[in-house]
Amino acid sequence: MINPASFFNVSYGLYIITSGNKKSRNGFIANSVFQVTATPPQFAVCCNKENYTAGIIKETGVFIISALDKNVSSKFIGNFGYKTGSKLDKLKDVEHFTGKSGAPVITENIISYIECKVNQTVDAGTHLIFIGNVIQADILNNKKPLTYDYYRDVKKGIAPKNAPTFIDKKTLDAIKQQKADKTPLPRFKCPVCGYIYEPEKGDASSGIIPGTAFENLPDDWKCPVCETPKNDFFKLK
Ligand SMILES: Cc1cc2nc3c(=O)[nH]c(=O)nc-3n(C[C@H](O)[C@H](O)[C@H](O)COP(=O)(O)O)c2cc1C
């Protein structure tokens, strides 16, 4: 069995990967970034072969990993993660400076960056894994980084086809359903006698089968111990 819900429990951050030189420049959103070794410090990024940036990294041999600020807007993510630089200059209205390698270092909505020189490219089918040695790295501010989990759960963001973690809508809905099925139903307490209604047990004395949510109990259901009406029960956290 391969349950794609397990893939969601692999944690990532979210980054902009930029590359370029005097002639061309670009950037895209990536979650698939990781440190390969400590000595020497090496980092890797997994880049779809169809990304416009892939060609620029191949040509220049450099890439910059910039960690996104947790409070970055969806519009900013949309510019780098849903549009392609083959059709527009994504960096036109975005604050940046030129790094040691000649590639653009974004300073807007970014908390830190790591500039790398490619030393190896692995062909992984749809994607290329660029591995690079760190040639410069710095912190820009003390804001918090955006994680993929926060992007999905709080910002309600998804990833497009080019992302290695792409999951189609049907599978995504099935994963949500699986999660909901595994979330225990809330318990309710009687304010008079302290009896606790536990959905997984139901209430045999009134013919309520196990698995019945409190909300689905009949309106005239009463506490099996002291007969306090359903409406007086309160939810337990
Ligand atoms: C949340 C998110 C995560 C993404 N992760 C990756 C990734 O790890 N690798 C990748 O190749 N594309 C990833 N993408 C897709 C690219 O950012 C997207 O295809 C982009 O438009 C490519 O830009 P380009 O053609 O200008 O290079 C991701 C997009 C989003 C929104």
Side-chain angles (χ1 to χ4, degrees), residues 26 29 31-32 46 48 51-53 81 83-85 90 160 162 164:
N26 198 41
I29 300 279
N31 61 279
S32 53
C46 187
N48 194 293
N51 286 359
Y52 180 63
T53 320
K83 291 179 183 167
T84 178
K90 294 188 195 177
N162 281 11

Side-chain angles (χ1 to χ4, degrees), residues 171-208:
T171 314
L172 213 54
D173 288 346
I175 289 172
K176 274 190 200 147
Q177 191 53 48
Q178 270 187 50
K179 275 195 171 173
D181 292 348
K182 287 197 163 39
T183 308
L185 293 166
R187 299 179 307 152
F188 284 73
K189 189 169 181 175
C190 173
V192 178
C193 70
Y195 163 83
I196 294 172
Y197 176 76
E198 296 169 283
E200 61 277 16
K201 289 186 182 158
D203 172 19
S205 66
S206 307
I208 305 295

Side-chain angles (χ1 to χ4, degrees), residues 98-233:
T98 303
K100 201 173 170 180
S101 64
V105 181
I106 298 178
T107 51
E108 206 178 319
N109 293 313
I110 295 299
I111 63 172
S112 58
Y113 69 94
I114 303 166
E115 198 167 354
C116 299
K117 199 169 182 313
V118 178
N119 61 35
Q120 203 183 137
T121 303
V122 179
D123 191 326
T126 53
H127 287 70
L128 293 172
I129 303 169
F130 294 111
I131 303 175
N133 293 94
V134 177
I135 56 168
Q136 183 161 266
D138 208 358
I139 295 277
L140 300 178
N141 54 61
N142 287 325
K143 291 178 184 166
K144 294 260 176 273
L146 176 62
T147 64
Y148 203 7
D149 195 48
Y150 187 85
Y151 172 75
R152 277 172 172 151
D153 271 14
V154 182
K155 291 188 183 280
K156 301 292 175 209
I158 52 167
K161 264 210 154 99
N162 281 11
T165 48
F166 169 74
I167 289 183
D168 62 77
K169 172 125 182 22
K170 214 174 127 206
T171 314
L172 213 54
D173 288 346
I175 289 172
K176 274 190 200 147
Q177 191 53 48
Q178 270 187 50
K179 275 195 171 173
D181 292 348
K182 287 197 163 39
T183 308
L185 293 166
R187 299 179 307 152
F188 284 73
K189 189 169 181 175
C190 173
V192 178
C193 70
Y195 163 83
I196 294 172
Y197 176 76
E198 296 169 283
E200 61 277 16
K201 289 186 182 158
D203 172 19
S205 66
S206 307
I208 305 295
I209 58 163
T212 306
F214 184 81
E215 289 77 7
N216 295 336
L217 291 173
D219 290 344
D220 59 357
W221 179 84
K222 290 192 172 80
C223 174
V225 179
C226 69
E227 302 207 322
T228 294
K230 175 187 172 185
N231 280 349
D232 291 351
F233 274 61

Side-chain angles (χ1 to χ4, degrees), residues 15-27:
Y15 311 88
I16 295 186
I17 308 300
T18 48
S19 185
N21 53 23
K22 279 194 184 116
K23 280 195 291 167
S24 52
R25 60 181 189 183
N26 198 41

